[in-house]
Amino acid sequence: MESYLKENFEVEPKNPTEEALKKWRSAVWLVKNPRRRFRMVADLAKRAAAEKKRRKIQEKIRIALYVQKAALQFIDAANRTERKLSEEVVQAGYDIEPEDLAYIVRSHNTKTYDFHGGLQGLARKIKVSLRDGVLSSDISKRQQIFGYNQFVEKPQRPLWMFIWDALQDMTLIILMVCAVISVGVGIATEGWPKGMYDGLGIILCILLVVVVTAVSDYKQSLQFKDLDKEKKNIIIQVTRDGTRKKVSIYDLVVGDIVHLSIGDQVPADGIFIDGYSLTIDESSLSGESEPVNIDKKKPFLLSGTKVQDGSGKMLVTSVGMKTEWGRLMVTLSEGGDDETPLQVKLNGVATIIGKIGLAFAVLTFLVLTARLILTKYISNELLKWSMNDGLALLNYFAIAVTILVVAVPEGLPLAVTLSLAFAMKKLMNDRALVRHLSACETMGSATCICTDKTGTLTTNHMVVTRLWVAGDTKEIKSKEKLKSSISEKVLTVLLQSVFLNTNSEIVKDDTGKTNIIGSPTETALLEFGLLFQNNYNQETKNMKIVKVEPFNSVKKKMSVLVALSNGKLRAFCKGASEIILNMCDKIINEDGEIVQMSDKQRKAITDVINGFACEALRTICLAFKDLETGSTSDNTNNSSDIPESNYTVIAVVGIKDPVRPGVKEAVKTCLDAGIMVRMVTGDNINTAKAIAKECGILTADGLAIDGPEFREKSDEQLKDIVPRIQVMARSLPLDKHKLVTFLRNELKEVVAVTGDGTNDAPALHEADIGLAMGIAGTEVAKENADVVIIDDNFKTIVVVARWGRSVYINIQKFVQFQLTVNVVALMTNFVSACTSGSAPLTAVQLLWVNMIMDTLGALALATEPPHDGLMKRPPIGRDVNFITKVMWRNIIGQSIYQLIVLGILQFNGKRLLNLNGPDSTAVLNTMIFNTFVFCQVFNEINSRDMEKINVAKGMFDSWVFMIVMVCTVTFQIIIVELLGTFASTVPLSGSLWLASILMGAVSLPVGAILKHIPVESSAHHGHDGYEPLPRGPDLA
């Protein structure tokens, strides 16, 4: 079975090939209900058509942007007359039609832009202040006139459509036809109303199955809809009511002033207001990979594009479906998401079992028919056929079809969807947003987590605690004492560096309280600056920022060029201490004078940096350089480059970023679970080592390495050192990518990697599971990730790993349970048909059993929450057999027990139970049905743990499981005691009920005995997910 599955039903968790997707689709056979089975499977034909449509739209956009644009420049603006304003727009108080406004940016038409008065003219026409932004009171009015920033999405399918889908099951349709014929023939032979009961019972049971199935599917679809909306929600920084705020992308309106920085997605079409070195990647929209520089001469920004470099502000001019991105987004959702490896594998299992079930169904029908013909032949009635004989044949056919209903486990692939939907919803509550379904599964196999330090292992609440300035190290405790110990000249340059060389902004909220909006490092520096200078504008009012080079993870520095009040230029630089120190050859002394830096002073500063780092402080070096010549004219922005050398050191600051509470325990949990944790950070190696030791990541035999050193190693050297690497410091995004690739390809590890920056995108994409940070992460990083860690916390990553394992184990539990029911139901009816000429389980009873094992069984077992024991096992191997030897042991053992019990009841039940009288056969058949159902109820409890004897542990905490159990037992009582007319049952006495329950309950001790039978564990290529890990000192 496993070799067949691996050959035909194997797909990669990430980016599976088109060939693999087509291969398993062609291998699937005997699908009862394609509409339901493949509801959560990508439609390749639709996807190809959508891709074609998307490329067509991209080509149109590209032509509009790069070809028509040139032609449009020749159109005389005077010839373009303004469209007459509609009554609605006039009443709202605006001076431009929404379509005209959208056209300007969409067509990049500078002539029309100038015709409307440029940026200032458009701002006047849409009634917005470029300084204070829109008023909150105007939001609803703007949304009515200019539209909402939402794209047209497929409406949620109503419940009746899911009922219709569930009714498309071919076997159920055949059964309904049989039931209708049965009603007709029954009334003709047995009269009204007795003749209709059998057929009506089947119809009612089918309707119950359909409704329960449809409601389950409908609830799942609602969960996915909510998660899908959450995935597309982006938090945007805007200026409204004169203050800077964070709003959802869905709440953005025309007139909003949006702040953009590296890695952001442009949330709507708009006009550039101001900014520095703003470079946009338009490839997602136009297909052109060449980045576009945005400035006041080329001010048009398109929704859906990405900020590649720089920062800036834009005025929103059109939103939602009035943008090209809105039209493109409609095509992106066509075709659906890729199916997960487990979904594909279980489609394979369903195909194999379906073939076996079909053979048994045909055999059962042939045996029953043959027995009927033989009986008629013996009694010389072969040519005499009555309506009753026709009804008997119809009944045999219905039983054969019902065996097929039970035998084809349509619910197996859908149980994966159910389990994943449940896990995704719970993970959302636990602060993790799953973007790709397969990540939930793959996380259960993770053997290694490469994690960032800042914000993930640490709190990201940074405070400057140490300062080295002018040759002296100071503790940041008393503001007055600190201020008096630094000369006025040095303090002036230090504060200029802090307030001018920053990407953050100091704003006042509605209550007048000062807030800082920006990265935690920048916030810590600005808070430090505000200790000395509350009126920060004083430092910057006479200076003009000429050029900015924003911080990025490759250069590890940020620089700014400033025009001073005397007309000269001054460059400020800050960043990774060693890098900035290497750019400096001078130092500012305690009197504020610039002097050449001696080797001794350089060594002293290096010792300070290392000293701070060993105390687990993040070190930032601040430097400046006065340029000999300079100009404040407008062309400075283009002509003046920020220097890269000969700077003067101002200060080194030590920033404390404490380790998050609970991280050490989370790391220990990972180690217990066989998951290696590696820290990959851009920080100083001493800082990294100190934090790694505090978290329990760096052990005595572990290796800490610098990024530059790692880069120089050959592949042979890497094979030796990579397994021991626990910390990589001063790493570039490319180092992270190289490490992930090596771990996956050479060491065959299943790698989860965290990332927040734009440059982390390749590593996130390459890893088996890419984990983007929700707070610190850029939109580019989130887009390339499989899971977004909303709270940036390492503990949340461990929660994702637990749920990943839980999903896999839960599906295994369900498969074990369902296969046991399949084997017993098939064998019972087949053997009985061969020996006695009748099936003890009727069509209605088999349909009820099918619902217990399919929809209700999936609900009970596939939604079990994870328990702590999951993280005391090794990871689930990459290539292990899905149906393990442990599962086969349990399936075969339970099946043998149930078949023996049902066989004894079938052939010797009347004598054993002392059944006499005319209704003894009906009582015996009801008893067999009842015992069979209770065997499944107790086996469902047994399946909660495939290895442990105590299967009741945590059972009462799983409310879904308990509700399913109560509903199953309650409805079984109703069927037996009250619905006998339809279900072919008769009421049972108290002693027979007790006997049924006890025979079912014996499954529990049988399960306990089976678990004592040793099973040979899997081969070296992976774990079967059940052996406990070694504990104690030998673990390390």
Side-chain angles (χ1 to χ4, degrees):
M1 183 194 252
E2 285 296 338
S3 57
Y4 173 77
L5 289 176
K6 277 177 183 168
E7 187 185 334
N8 296 291
F9 294 90
E10 195 81 48
V11 296
E12 285 294 315
K14 274 180 95 165
N15 313 313
T17 62
E18 192 88 357
E19 188 186 349
L21 294 176
K22 284 178 179 172
K23 188 176 184 180
W24 84 259
R25 281 164 173 75
S26 61
V28 168
W29 190 74
L30 197 68
V31 178
K32 295 189 296 184
N33 187 348
R35 279 180 75 154
R36 183 168 180 254
R37 170 90 78 93
F38 301 130
R39 186 169 52 83
M40 295 301 292
V41 166
D43 186 326
L44 298 182
K46 258 190 190 175
R47 187 187 280 183
E51 179 63 20
K52 201 173 175 184
K53 191 175 172 185
R54 189 172 67 84
R55 284 189 180 157
K56 219 179 232 180
I57 294 171
Q58 278 189 330
E59 185 59 23
K60 271 186 185 173
I61 295 168
R62 197 184 67 78
I63 290 167
L65 295 185
Y66 298 100
V67 181
Q68 287 181 5
K69 187 165 63 177
L72 285 167
Q73 306 307 318
F74 295 102
I75 298 171
D76 185 10
N79 294 336
R80 182 172 174 84
T81 55
E82 279 193 84
R83 192 185 305 201
K84 191 174 183 297
L85 296 180
S86 66
E87 190 66 32
E88 195 182 18
V89 172
V90 172
Q91 280 181 358
Y94 302 118
D95 298 329
I96 188 167
E97 280 290 320
E99 274 305 320
D100 287 345
L101 191 58
Y103 169 79
I104 295 168
V105 176
R106 197 164 62 224
S107 63
H108 280 37
N109 194 331
T110 49
K111 293 281 184 186
T112 312
Y113 174 60
D114 293 339
F115 173 78
H116 284 287
L119 176 66
Q120 298 293 339
L122 287 174
R124 277 195 302 274
K125 290 188 174 186
I126 58 174
K127 302 293 182 279
V128 67
S129 156
L130 292 175
R131 191 190 68 192
D132 296 336
V134 300
L135 299 171
S136 295
S137 54
D138 286 352
I139 302 291
S140 57
K141 183 172 72 173
R142 289 177 183 275
Q143 285 173 331
Q144 282 170 3
I145 302 296
F146 297 106
Y148 291 83
N149 197 28
Q150 290 180 357
F151 310 125
V152 171
E153 291 183 3
K154 287 181 184 172
Q156 172 62 38
R157 295 175 79 219
L159 179 60
W160 70 263
M161 285 189 78
F162 286 92
I163 292 172
W164 178 248
D165 281 356
L167 278 167
Q168 304 305 303
D169 191 314
M170 187 51 67
T171 51
L172 293 185
I173 291 168
I174 294 168
L175 276 179
M176 278 191 278
V177 172
C178 289
V180 170
I181 295 168
S182 174
V183 168
V185 175
I187 290 170
T189 55
E190 297 178 47
W192 174 273
K194 194 182 173 188
M196 71 165 187
Y197 289 145
D198 286 351
L200 192 62
I202 292 173
I203 290 170
L204 290 174
C205 208
I206 286 170
L207 290 176
L208 179 68
V209 169
V210 164
V211 169
V212 170
T213 302
V215 169
S216 174
D217 290 350
Y218 178 63
K219 287 191 78 174
Q220 272 180 56
S221 78
L222 290 178
Q223 286 179 343
F224 282 119
K225 186 90 175 168
D226 292 344
L227 287 163
D228 202 45
K229 190 173 183 189
E230 197 59 45
K231 275 193 269 187
K232 291 172 185 169
N233 189 15
I234 300 170
I235 300 302
I236 310 293
Q237 292 202 7
V238 299
T239 298
R240 279 186 186 173
D241 303 313
T243 59
R244 197 155 152 180
K245 297 176 179 178
K246 290 181 180 179
V247 299
S248 163
I249 190 168
Y250 301 124
D251 298 330
L252 210 61
V253 294
V254 168
D256 264 325
I257 310 296
V258 175
H259 299 259
L260 299 170
S261 54
I262 295 178
D264 283 353
Q265 177 177 308
V266 178
D269 285 1
I271 305 283
F272 175 77
I273 298 172
D274 58 45
Y276 306 100
S277 316
L278 189 61
T279 309
I280 299 291
D281 173 12
E282 292 185 347
S283 59
S284 57
L285 201 60
S286 66
E288 288 286 335
S289 57
E290 196 65 35
V292 178
N293 293 317
I294 301 293
D295 53 35
K296 291 191 176 177
K297 291 179 182 172
K298 288 197 287 182
F300 306 114
L301 288 148
L302 292 170
S303 176
T305 56
K306 309 288 189 302
V307 179
Q308 192 165 306
D309 205 355
S311 60
K313 287 194 291 187
M314 68 171 252
L315 172 69
V316 174
T317 55
S318 51
V319 293
M321 292 307 295
K322 287 191 171 66
T323 68
E324 292 291 2
W325 182 247
R327 295 169 199 188
L328 196 62
M329 280 298 283
V330 176
T331 66
L332 293 180
S333 58
E334 291 288 329
D337 292 331
D338 284 327
E339 49 275 20
T340 73
L342 261 186
Q343 282 174 320
V344 173
K345 202 166 267 187
L346 290 182
N347 267 296
V349 173
T351 298
I352 293 167
I353 298 167
K355 287 177 180 177
I356 297 165
L358 180 63
F360 269 94
V362 171
L363 271 174
T364 305
F365 179 70
L366 290 176
V367 168
L368 287 169
T369 308
R371 281 187 67 96
L372 178 69
I373 293 168
L374 194 64
T375 306
K376 292 184 80 63
Y377 176 74
I378 290 166
S379 56
N380 289 321
E381 294 176 354
L382 195 58
L383 299 175
K384 295 176 185 175
W385 290 82
S386 65
M387 288 285 265
N388 281 337
D389 294 327
L391 202 58
L393 276 175
L394 188 67
N395 189 38
Y396 295 158
F397 183 68
I399 287 168
V401 173
T402 314
I403 285 174
L404 200 59
V405 171
V406 177
V408 179
E410 200 87 327
L412 277 185
L414 298 164
V416 181
T417 312
L418 178 70
S419 189
L420 289 171
F422 183 77
M424 285 169 76
K425 188 180 177 186
K426 292 292 182 186
L427 279 169
M428 191 70 209
N429 297 337
D430 287 334
R431 315 302 293 147
L433 172 65
V434 179
R435 289 176 57 84
H436 300 131
L437 273 177
S438 58
C440 254
E441 290 172 17
T442 316
M443 199 66 194
S445 302
T447 57
C448 165
I449 298 173
C450 297
T451 176
D452 290 330
K453 174 185 76 69
T454 307
T456 309
L457 297 170
T458 60
T459 59
N460 223 8
H461 295 146
M462 301 194 189
V463 182
V464 176
T465 59
R466 304 289 293 278
L467 172 71
W468 176 92
V469 64
D472 196 15
T473 303
K474 303 171 193 301
E475 291 270 346
I476 312 294
K477 284 181 180 174
S478 164
K479 180 171 79 170
E480 286 73 23
K481 195 176 173 186
L482 189 63
K483 199 168 182 180
S484 62
S485 67
I486 304 173
S487 72
E488 196 62 38
K489 269 188 173 179
V490 175
L491 193 59
T492 301
V493 177
L494 176 61
L495 293 179
Q496 282 178 357
S497 174
V498 167
F499 289 123
L500 291 165
N501 188 15
T502 183
N503 249 342
S504 294
E505 197 172 327
I506 301 167
V507 296
K508 283 192 165 35
D509 62 18
D510 301 336
T511 62
K513 186 186 168 190
T514 300
N515 285 324
I516 299 166
I517 295 178
S519 72
T521 309
E522 297 254 26
T523 302
L525 285 170
L526 287 175
E527 283 174 349
F528 165 73
L530 288 172
L531 289 175
F532 302 96
Q533 185 68 61
N534 283 327
N535 186 9
Y536 51 91
N537 287 327
Q538 200 174 309
E539 290 300 330
T540 58
K541 65 178 178 183
N542 296 323
M543 301 180 186
K544 180 186 171 190
I545 294 175
V546 175
K547 191 169 186 180
V548 175
E549 277 182 10
F551 179 87
N552 70 45
S553 50
V554 177
K555 293 177 181 175
K556 299 198 186 301
K557 66 182 177 71
M558 176 184 178
S559 306
V560 64
L561 195 62
V562 177
L564 303 175
S565 51
N566 59 10
K568 290 192 172 182
L569 292 178
R570 177 175 284 175
F572 290 101
C573 189
K574 71 174 179 196
S577 299
E578 309 94 291
I579 292 169
I580 304 297
L581 185 60
N582 286 336
M583 292 167 60
C584 298
D585 59 0
K586 291 179 278 296
I587 188 169
I588 192 164
N589 66 18
E590 59 271 19
D591 299 322
E593 292 168 358
I594 298 169
V595 296
Q596 282 298 125
M597 191 193 304
S598 66
D599 290 343
K600 188 180 175 184
Q601 286 172 318
R602 187 179 292 276
K603 186 180 181 306
I605 297 170
T606 305
D607 289 344
V608 167
I609 292 166
N610 290 335
F612 284 3
C614 288
E615 293 173 33
L617 298 180
R618 166 172 260 201
T619 64
I620 303 288
C621 187
L622 308 174
F624 81 104
K625 179 180 182 177
D626 283 324
L627 277 69
E628 293 302 318
T629 56
S631 165
T632 56
S633 63
D634 287 340
N635 67 349
T636 313
N637 194 23
N638 302 322
S639 63
S640 298
D641 286 328
I642 301 175
E644 294 286 326
S645 58
N646 306 120
Y647 276 82
T648 301
V649 175
I650 305 168
V652 176
V653 294
I655 301 174
K656 186 153 188 65
D657 185 12
V659 171
R660 280 183 185 270
V663 162
K664 190 170 184 177
E665 291 77 11
V667 169
K668 188 178 183 303
T669 302
C670 286
L671 295 175
D672 284 355
I675 303 170
M676 172 92 163
V677 182
R678 293 177 167 92
M679 180 200 286
V680 183
T681 178
D683 255 349
N684 178 299
I685 192 160
N686 292 317
T687 308
K689 280 160 78 173
I691 295 285
K693 281 176 184 169
E694 197 177 334
C695 295
I697 292 172
L698 186 59
T699 57
D701 58 345
L703 182 66
I705 191 170
D706 260 327
E709 189 185 340
F710 174 77
R711 257 166 268 152
E712 289 166 8
K713 300 287 182 189
S714 66
D715 281 355
E716 283 305 311
Q717 289 172 312
L718 286 177
K719 277 181 188 172
D720 180 46
I721 66 162
V722 166
R724 293 189 298 117
I725 290 178
Q726 291 173 341
V727 175
M728 191 195 290
R730 285 291 178 239
S731 67
L732 300 179
L734 281 174
D735 300 330
K736 190 187 277 188
H737 183 263
K738 184 178 178 179
L739 178 65
V740 169
T741 308
F742 193 88
L743 285 166
R744 287 189 75 226
N745 298 343
E746 298 298 324
L747 303 181
K748 303 300 176 194
E749 299 254 14
V750 179
V751 184
V753 67
T754 68
D756 50 21
T758 306
N759 294 314
D760 286 329
L764 290 167
H765 190 265
E766 174 65 28
D768 293 284
I769 313 104
L771 305 159
M773 298 298 109
I775 301 167
T778 62
E779 281 314 308
V780 173
K782 290 175 192 175
E783 210 171 77
N784 282 276
D786 304 294
V787 180
V788 178
I789 306 299
I790 297 168
D791 60 359
D792 290 15
N793 194 339
F794 184 79
K795 280 168 72 179
T796 307
I797 298 170
V798 180
V799 171
V800 177
R802 279 182 71 196
W803 272 103
R805 292 183 177 202
S806 179
V807 165
Y808 191 89
I809 300 289
N810 283 351
I811 299 302
Q812 285 187 316
K813 291 177 196 172
F814 176 61
V815 169
Q816 176 184 294
F817 168 69
Q818 193 166 42
L819 291 188
T820 308
V821 186
N822 272 10
V823 170
V824 178
L826 288 178
M827 293 305 294
T828 302
N829 267 16
F830 177 68
V831 171
S832 181
C834 292
T835 54
S836 66
S838 66
L841 300 175
T842 66
V844 171
Q845 290 167 2
L846 280 172
L847 281 169
W848 167 234
V849 168
N850 182 61
M851 195 162 84
I852 291 174
M853 74 171 197
D854 200 325
T855 310
L856 296 179
L859 266 173
L861 292 169
T863 59
E864 283 254 277
H867 55 86
D868 293 337
L870 290 172
M871 297 306 277
K872 291 182 173 69
R873 299 167 173 173
I876 299 147
R878 200 190 274 270
D879 299 314
V880 295
N881 293 345
F882 178 73
I883 302 178
T884 64
K885 290 176 182 176
V886 169
M887 290 167 70
W888 280 123
R889 177 195 68 192
N890 296 342
I891 291 165
I892 293 164
Q894 287 289 350
S895 299
I896 290 169
Y897 165 71
Q898 290 185 24
L899 286 169
I900 289 169
V901 168
L902 297 174
I904 290 169
L905 285 175
Q906 174 74 19
F907 299 113
N908 213 7
K910 286 184 184 178
R911 186 179 65 80
L912 287 172
L913 299 170
N914 197 23
L915 298 177
N916 302 306
D919 64 345
S920 60
T921 304
V923 171
L924 181 64
N925 282 342
T926 303
M927 184 70 185
I928 290 170
F929 167 56
N930 208 33
T931 305
F932 177 72
V933 168
F934 276 100
C935 279
Q936 307 326 315
V937 168
F938 284 100
N939 190 36
E940 203 161 344
I941 296 170
N942 243 329
S943 298
R944 288 191 70 249
D945 201 305
M946 291 176 277
E947 277 287 81
K948 299 270 170 57
I949 291 167
N950 183 7
V951 289
K953 187 180 179 184
M955 185 169 76
F956 298 101
D957 297 332
S958 177
W959 60 271
V960 178
F961 187 89
M962 291 310 299
I963 288 172
V964 169
M965 288 288 103
V966 170
C967 289
T968 305
V969 172
T970 305
F971 208 75
Q972 178 65 16
I973 294 167
I974 293 167
I975 287 174
V976 171
E977 296 295 320
L978 303 175
L979 300 177
T981 316
F982 301 105
S984 308
T985 60
V986 292
L988 297 176
S989 65
S991 57
L992 290 179
W993 269 104
L994 185 64
S996 295
I997 294 166
L998 285 174
M999 282 187 277
V1002 175
S1003 293
L1004 296 176
V1006 168
I1009 292 163
L1010 288 171
K1011 286 166 187 175
H1012 279 99
I1013 300 171
V1015 176
E1016 183 194 341
S1017 59
S1018 305
H1020 301 297
H1021 60 264
H1023 305 288
D1024 67 0
Y1026 303 109
E1027 310 100 325
L1029 275 163
R1031 320 294 301 162
D1034 56 326
L1035 177 67

